[in-house]
Amino acid sequence: MLWIDLETYNAETDISAGTHAYAETAEVLLVAYALGKGPVSLWDCGTRAEMPGALKDALGDPAVLITAHNAPFDRTVLRLALGVETDITRWRCTLAKALTHGFPGALDKLGTIFGLPQDQAKLKAGKRLIQRFSKPAPKNHKADRYDRSTHPDDWARFCDYAMRDIEAMRALDRRLPDWNYRRGELGLWHLDQTINDRGIAIDRDLVAAGRRAADAEKQALGARFAALTGGAVTRPTQREAFRRYLNDTFGLDLANTQSATFRDILSDPDRAVPDTCAELMQISIAANKSSTAKYKALDPAISRDGRFRGGLQFAGAARTRRWSGKVFQPHNLSSRGLPPQRSIDQYIRALKAGTHDILFDDLMLYGSAALRGVLVAPKGKRLVIADLSNIEGRIAAWLAGETWKLEAFAAYDRGCGPDLYRVAAGRMLGKPVPAVTEAERNGLGKVAELALGYAGGVGAIQNFAKGKMEALLPVIQAAAPQAVARARENYDAWGFERAGETCAMEWVASDAVKLAWRDRHPAIATFWHACEAAARKAIQTPGAAFRAGRHVIYKVMPHAGHRYLLAKMPSGQFLTYFDPRITADGTLTHMGVNSLTKQWERQDTYGGRLAENLCQSLARDILAQSLPRIEAAGFAIVLTVHDEVVTEAPVSNDLSAERLAAIMAEGPDWAPGLPLAAAGFVAERYRK
C-alpha cells in the first residue's frame, strides 16, 4: 500500500471551485508518502524537480494500491498537475471509508473521535500553514506569495504537518471498520470516481447570465428593502435588527426571521398582514434563496472543456450512504412551487437574451427554477433521465410486511390500480377508492403518506398541510369518528401544551389523520416498535442478534476498542451507530453528525427514525445496484440526484428513457416481492 498526501499552491483558482477546476491550475508543493508500514518520506518539489525513485516506482506499479484521505483530490492533482496517470481501481479513500460508516470526513475531527495520539492527530496549526503557503499572499503584503525562502521556520512546520497526515491516515485506517467499504461497495466507489471524472456539460452562457441577473436582482431587492424600512434596517440578513423592526412597527411577536416563519404567516388566510410588512417578508424570502447563489458557485468550477466535474460525494448523506452534492449541489435545488416548465424554458431564453426583467416579474423565483437548466446534453447527445417511483414508501411496506400496500403498488405498476395517495385516502375514509375526491386525495392521502411513514405526528402533518386540515375535519369525523374522539382526548391530555399557534380544531384534525393512518397501517406501525425494541435489546446484550421484522438484524459489535450498533440490511450493507447507549431516562442515543449543525454530537433516536434510516439506506442500495447495469447498457451516467439517475446517450431507440427506467426497476435478488417502478424522459436540458 502506498500512502500519499499532496500539498498544493494555486494563484488562479480557489479550492472552493472543486477539485477538477482547481487541479487544472495547481502547483504541487509537497508530496508526503509511505510504503506499507515503512517510514514517511517527503518530496519537496521546490528543492528537487525529479520525483523520488521509490515514489515513481510505486505509482507506476499496478500491483501497488494507493490510499489517500480525500483520494479524488490527490488522484486528480497527480494526473492534471504532474501528468501521473493511475488506474482508479488501485485507489482507496479513508474519507469515503469514514463517511460510509456515519463519521464526518475531516481528518482532524476523525483524529479527535478516535483519540489518535497528539503526534498523529492533525496539527492545529495546519490550517494556518495551508492558508500561508497554498494561496497567494494578501494584496497589501510585500510578497506575492510565501514559501520556504520567506518563512523557513513555518515551511519546516508545513513539511512536518504533511508527514504527520500520513501517520494519522494510517492510524485512522486501522481504527475505521470496513463493513460498508469492501467488495461490491468498493467497486461502486470506483464507478463513482468514473462518473465524477466524466462530469456533465454546462451551458456557460446561462451560468454567466444567471450570475449577473441574481446579483442585479439582489441589489434591487436590497435597495427596496432599505427604502421600505426608511433605512432603519438596510438588509434582511441583519436578522435581529429586522426582527425587532417588524415587532415594533407592526405589533408582531416574531421569534425569528426565517423564511419558513414568513411563509406560514403569508399563507395564513386568517392573519391580516399590512402590505408593507408583507412586502418586507417577501423580499427577505427572495433574498435568502441560496439556490440563486449556485450560479456564482458553479461559474469557476467549470473545467476548460465546459464540463463540471466532481459534483458527487460518495456516501455524503450522513448514515444512509446516499450521494450528496459538492460545489453546485444539485441535490438541494428547488423542487416545490416551481412555475410550469414551459415558463421556465421561456425564462431561460429571455435571461440569455437579456430581456428577462422585462418579461417576468418574480425574477428570484424564476432564477432559482432555471438552475437545473444549466446542466445540458453535449453536442450530438441527449440527456436520458429516470427516477424510482415512491421508493421509500415501497421499501417501508416491504420491510414491515404491509401486504395490502404492496399489492396496491403492484396493481398501480400494472396499470390496473389507482395511485397510492387515493388508496391511502380511501382506506382512512372507509370509502371506495373511485369515490375519493381530488381534495381528499391531496389533503388526506398525499399529506398522510408524505408525513406519517416514519412515526410522524401533528408537526409532520403541518409541515405538509400548512394549516389546511381543519377544513377536512367533518369528512374525517364522518369516516373515522373513533380516531377523532381519540384525537380530542390527546389534545386535552397533552396536545394543548404542544400545539403552539396551531388552533385546537386544526390540531385535532391532524392528530385524527395520524391515528387513522396508523390504524390502516398496522404492520408499518408495528415495524417502528420492532426496530426500537431490537436496537435496545442489542445494546443491552452485546454480541447477540435481534430481528426487526423478517429482513433486519440489530447487533452490537466491537471494532478497534469502540462499540457499534449495526443494523444489517437485506442488501448485505449496514447502518452503523457509533457508541450506542441507553440513558438513565431510557432514551436511545448514539454519536453522529447532526444533519442541521453538521457537528459530531450525541443524538437521540427512536423507532420511526431507525425505520427511516433503513428505508433511505435501502433506497440508496437499490439505486446503486442498477448503476453498473446502466453503464453496461451504454448509458453514460453523469449524475445521481436522490432516487434519480441522469445519463448522456447518443440518439438511439435502444438508449431510451423507457430502457433506462426498465433497468432501474429490475429488482435485486435480495428483495423478493418488492415492487419497483421507474419513469423517465429525454431532454436537452436537465429539468424536474
Short mmCIF file of all heavy atoms in Angstrom, two decimals, residues 257-292:
data_model
loop_
_atom_site.label_atom_id
_atom_site.label_comp_id
_atom_site.label_asym_id
_atom_site.label_seq_id
_atom_site.Cartn_x
_atom_site.Cartn_y
_atom_site.Cartn_z
N THR A 257 -36.62 35.46 11.97
CA THR A 257 -36.98 35.97 10.64
C THR A 257 -36.67 34.92 9.57
O THR A 257 -36.25 35.25 8.47
CB THR A 257 -36.21 37.27 10.34
OG1 THR A 257 -34.79 36.99 10.39
CG2 THR A 257 -36.54 38.36 11.34
N GLN A 258 -36.89 33.68 9.91
CA GLN A 258 -36.66 32.60 8.96
C GLN A 258 -37.71 32.62 7.85
O GLN A 258 -38.86 33.00 8.08
CB GLN A 258 -36.67 31.25 9.67
CG GLN A 258 -35.54 31.08 10.67
CD GLN A 258 -35.64 29.77 11.44
OE1 GLN A 258 -36.53 28.96 11.19
NE2 GLN A 258 -34.72 29.56 12.36
N SER A 259 -37.31 32.17 6.67
CA SER A 259 -38.23 32.15 5.54
C SER A 259 -39.46 31.30 5.81
O SER A 259 -40.57 31.65 5.42
CB SER A 259 -37.50 31.63 4.29
OG SER A 259 -36.48 32.52 3.89
N ALA A 260 -39.27 30.16 6.51
CA ALA A 260 -40.41 29.29 6.82
C ALA A 260 -41.43 30.01 7.69
O ALA A 260 -42.64 29.85 7.51
CB ALA A 260 -39.91 28.03 7.52
N THR A 261 -40.95 30.82 8.64
CA THR A 261 -41.85 31.59 9.51
C THR A 261 -42.66 32.57 8.68
O THR A 261 -43.88 32.70 8.84
CB THR A 261 -41.04 32.35 10.58
OG1 THR A 261 -40.33 31.40 11.37
CG2 THR A 261 -41.96 33.17 11.47
N PHE A 262 -41.99 33.27 7.78
CA PHE A 262 -42.68 34.25 6.94
C PHE A 262 -43.68 33.57 6.01
O PHE A 262 -44.79 34.08 5.78
CB PHE A 262 -41.67 35.06 6.13
CG PHE A 262 -40.84 36.02 6.95
CD1 PHE A 262 -39.63 36.51 6.48
CD2 PHE A 262 -41.28 36.45 8.19
CE1 PHE A 262 -38.87 37.39 7.22
CE2 PHE A 262 -40.53 37.34 8.95
CZ PHE A 262 -39.32 37.81 8.47
N ARG A 263 -43.31 32.44 5.45
CA ARG A 263 -44.23 31.74 4.54
C ARG A 263 -45.50 31.31 5.28
O ARG A 263 -46.60 31.41 4.73
CB ARG A 263 -43.54 30.51 3.94
CG ARG A 263 -42.49 30.84 2.90
CD ARG A 263 -42.08 29.59 2.12
NE ARG A 263 -40.99 29.86 1.21
CZ ARG A 263 -39.71 29.63 1.48
NH1 ARG A 263 -39.38 29.09 2.65
NH2 ARG A 263 -38.77 29.91 0.60
N ASP A 264 -45.35 30.83 6.50
CA ASP A 264 -46.52 30.43 7.29
C ASP A 264 -47.44 31.62 7.53
O ASP A 264 -48.67 31.51 7.45
CB ASP A 264 -46.08 29.83 8.62
CG ASP A 264 -45.45 28.45 8.45
OD1 ASP A 264 -45.63 27.85 7.37
OD2 ASP A 264 -44.78 27.99 9.40
N ILE A 265 -46.86 32.77 7.85
CA ILE A 265 -47.66 33.97 8.11
C ILE A 265 -48.38 34.43 6.85
O ILE A 265 -49.59 34.72 6.86
CB ILE A 265 -46.76 35.10 8.67
CG1 ILE A 265 -46.25 34.74 10.06
CG2 ILE A 265 -47.51 36.44 8.71
CD1 ILE A 265 -45.22 35.71 10.60
N LEU A 266 -47.65 34.48 5.75
CA LEU A 266 -48.23 34.99 4.50
C LEU A 266 -49.27 34.04 3.91
O LEU A 266 -50.17 34.49 3.19
CB LEU A 266 -47.11 35.22 3.47
CG LEU A 266 -46.09 36.32 3.83
CD1 LEU A 266 -44.94 36.33 2.83
CD2 LEU A 266 -46.76 37.68 3.89
N SER A 267 -49.17 32.75 4.23
CA SER A 267 -50.13 31.79 3.69
C SER A 267 -51.34 31.57 4.59
O SER A 267 -52.26 30.84 4.23
CB SER A 267 -49.43 30.44 3.44
OG SER A 267 -48.98 29.88 4.66
N ASP A 268 -51.34 32.21 5.76
CA ASP A 268 -52.44 32.04 6.72
C ASP A 268 -53.59 32.96 6.33
O ASP A 268 -53.48 34.19 6.44
CB ASP A 268 -51.96 32.36 8.13
CG ASP A 268 -53.01 32.02 9.19
OD1 ASP A 268 -54.18 31.79 8.83
OD2 ASP A 268 -52.65 31.99 10.38
N PRO A 269 -54.72 32.41 5.85
CA PRO A 269 -55.84 33.27 5.41
C PRO A 269 -56.48 34.04 6.55
O PRO A 269 -57.18 35.04 6.32
CB PRO A 269 -56.82 32.26 4.79
CG PRO A 269 -56.51 30.97 5.47
CD PRO A 269 -55.04 30.98 5.73
N ASP A 270 -56.28 33.59 7.77
CA ASP A 270 -56.91 34.26 8.91
C ASP A 270 -56.01 35.32 9.54
O ASP A 270 -56.37 35.90 10.57
CB ASP A 270 -57.28 33.22 9.99
CG ASP A 270 -58.28 32.21 9.46
OD1 ASP A 270 -59.16 32.60 8.67
OD2 ASP A 270 -58.16 31.02 9.83
N ARG A 271 -54.87 35.55 8.94
CA ARG A 271 -53.92 36.51 9.52
C ARG A 271 -53.70 37.67 8.56
O ARG A 271 -53.10 37.50 7.49
CB ARG A 271 -52.60 35.82 9.83
CG ARG A 271 -51.65 36.66 10.67
CD ARG A 271 -50.58 35.77 11.26
NE ARG A 271 -49.72 36.50 12.19
CZ ARG A 271 -48.79 35.95 12.93
NH1 ARG A 271 -48.59 34.63 12.84
NH2 ARG A 271 -48.05 36.67 13.75
N ALA A 272 -54.21 38.83 8.92
CA ALA A 272 -54.06 40.02 8.08
C ALA A 272 -52.70 40.65 8.34
O ALA A 272 -52.35 40.95 9.48
CB ALA A 272 -55.17 41.01 8.38
N VAL A 273 -51.94 40.86 7.28
CA VAL A 273 -50.62 41.46 7.39
C VAL A 273 -50.59 42.73 6.53
O VAL A 273 -50.97 42.68 5.36
CB VAL A 273 -49.52 40.48 6.90
CG1 VAL A 273 -48.15 41.12 7.00
CG2 VAL A 273 -49.57 39.19 7.70
N PRO A 274 -50.17 43.87 7.08
CA PRO A 274 -50.09 45.11 6.29
C PRO A 274 -49.24 44.90 5.04
O PRO A 274 -48.29 44.11 5.04
CB PRO A 274 -49.43 46.11 7.26
CG PRO A 274 -49.76 45.58 8.62
CD PRO A 274 -49.78 44.10 8.49
N ASP A 275 -49.58 45.62 3.99
CA ASP A 275 -48.89 45.43 2.71
C ASP A 275 -47.38 45.63 2.81
O ASP A 275 -46.60 44.86 2.25
CB ASP A 275 -49.46 46.40 1.67
CG ASP A 275 -50.90 46.04 1.29
OD1 ASP A 275 -51.33 44.91 1.59
OD2 ASP A 275 -51.58 46.90 0.70
N THR A 276 -46.97 46.67 3.55
CA THR A 276 -45.53 46.93 3.68
C THR A 276 -44.84 45.79 4.41
O THR A 276 -43.75 45.35 4.02
CB THR A 276 -45.29 48.24 4.44
OG1 THR A 276 -45.91 49.31 3.72
CG2 THR A 276 -43.81 48.52 4.59
N CYS A 277 -45.46 45.29 5.46
CA CYS A 277 -44.90 44.16 6.21
C CYS A 277 -44.80 42.93 5.32
O CYS A 277 -43.78 42.23 5.32
CB CYS A 277 -45.78 43.87 7.43
SG CYS A 277 -45.21 42.47 8.42
N ALA A 278 -45.85 42.66 4.56
CA ALA A 278 -45.84 41.50 3.66
C ALA A 278 -44.74 41.62 2.62
O ALA A 278 -44.05 40.63 2.32
CB ALA A 278 -47.20 41.36 2.98
N GLU A 279 -44.55 42.83 2.08
CA GLU A 279 -43.51 43.01 1.06
C GLU A 279 -42.13 42.80 1.66
O GLU A 279 -41.25 42.20 1.03
CB GLU A 279 -43.61 44.39 0.43
CG GLU A 279 -42.66 44.56 -0.75
CD GLU A 279 -42.81 45.88 -1.48
OE1 GLU A 279 -43.74 46.66 -1.12
OE2 GLU A 279 -42.01 46.14 -2.39
N LEU A 280 -41.90 43.28 2.88
CA LEU A 280 -40.62 43.06 3.54
C LEU A 280 -40.35 41.57 3.74
O LEU A 280 -39.23 41.08 3.54
CB LEU A 280 -40.59 43.78 4.89
CG LEU A 280 -40.43 45.30 4.84
CD1 LEU A 280 -40.70 45.92 6.21
CD2 LEU A 280 -39.03 45.68 4.35
N MET A 281 -41.39 40.85 4.15
CA MET A 281 -41.22 39.41 4.33
C MET A 281 -40.93 38.73 3.00
O MET A 281 -40.09 37.83 2.92
CB MET A 281 -42.48 38.82 4.96
CG MET A 281 -42.71 39.21 6.41
SD MET A 281 -44.21 38.45 7.09
CE MET A 281 -44.13 39.01 8.80
N GLN A 282 -41.63 39.13 1.95
CA GLN A 282 -41.41 38.53 0.63
C GLN A 282 -40.00 38.82 0.12
O GLN A 282 -39.35 37.95 -0.47
CB GLN A 282 -42.45 39.06 -0.35
CG GLN A 282 -43.85 38.53 -0.07
CD GLN A 282 -44.93 39.33 -0.78
OE1 GLN A 282 -44.69 40.43 -1.29
NE2 GLN A 282 -46.16 38.80 -0.79
N ILE A 283 -39.51 40.05 0.36
CA ILE A 283 -38.14 40.38 -0.05
C ILE A 283 -37.14 39.53 0.72
O ILE A 283 -36.17 39.02 0.15
CB ILE A 283 -37.86 41.88 0.19
CG1 ILE A 283 -38.65 42.73 -0.81
CG2 ILE A 283 -36.36 42.17 0.05
CD1 ILE A 283 -38.55 44.22 -0.56
N SER A 284 -37.38 39.34 2.02
CA SER A 284 -36.49 38.52 2.83
C SER A 284 -36.46 37.08 2.32
O SER A 284 -35.39 36.47 2.22
CB SER A 284 -36.94 38.54 4.29
OG SER A 284 -36.13 37.72 5.08
N ILE A 285 -37.62 36.53 1.98
CA ILE A 285 -37.68 35.17 1.45
C ILE A 285 -36.88 35.07 0.15
O ILE A 285 -36.09 34.14 -0.05
CB ILE A 285 -39.14 34.74 1.21
CG1 ILE A 285 -39.87 34.60 2.55
CG2 ILE A 285 -39.21 33.43 0.43
CD1 ILE A 285 -41.36 34.40 2.41
N ALA A 286 -37.08 36.05 -0.74
CA ALA A 286 -36.38 36.03 -2.03
C ALA A 286 -34.88 36.20 -1.85
O ALA A 286 -34.08 35.51 -2.48
CB ALA A 286 -36.93 37.13 -2.93
N ALA A 287 -34.48 37.12 -0.97
CA ALA A 287 -33.06 37.40 -0.78
C ALA A 287 -32.33 36.22 -0.15
O ALA A 287 -31.11 36.05 -0.35
CB ALA A 287 -32.89 38.64 0.09
N ASN A 288 -33.06 35.41 0.61
CA ASN A 288 -32.43 34.27 1.28
C ASN A 288 -32.43 33.00 0.44
O ASN A 288 -32.06 31.94 0.93
CB ASN A 288 -33.15 33.99 2.61
CG ASN A 288 -32.83 35.06 3.65
OD1 ASN A 288 -31.75 35.61 3.66
ND2 ASN A 288 -33.79 35.36 4.51
N LYS A 289 -32.87 33.09 -0.80
CA LYS A 289 -32.85 31.92 -1.67
C LYS A 289 -31.39 31.60 -2.02
O LYS A 289 -30.79 32.22 -2.87
CB LYS A 289 -33.65 32.18 -2.95
CG LYS A 289 -35.13 31.89 -2.82
CD LYS A 289 -35.81 31.98 -4.17
CE LYS A 289 -37.28 31.62 -4.09
NZ LYS A 289 -37.49 30.21 -3.73
N SER A 290 -30.85 30.64 -1.30
CA SER A 290 -29.45 30.29 -1.54
C SER A 290 -29.25 29.67 -2.92
O SER A 290 -28.14 29.66 -3.44
CB SER A 290 -28.97 29.31 -0.47
OG SER A 290 -29.75 28.12 -0.50
N SER A 291 -30.33 29.19 -3.51
CA SER A 291 -30.18 28.49 -4.79
C SER A 291 -29.63 29.40 -5.87
O SER A 291 -28.85 28.96 -6.73
CB SER A 291 -31.52 27.90 -5.23
OG SER A 291 -32.51 28.90 -5.27
N THR A 292 -30.01 30.69 -5.86
CA THR A 292 -29.50 31.57 -6.90
C THR A 292 -28.00 31.81 -6.76
O THR A 292 -27.33 32.18 -7.72
CB THR A 292 -30.26 32.92 -6.89
OG1 THR A 292 -30.21 33.45 -5.56
CG2 THR A 292 -31.70 32.73 -7.29
#
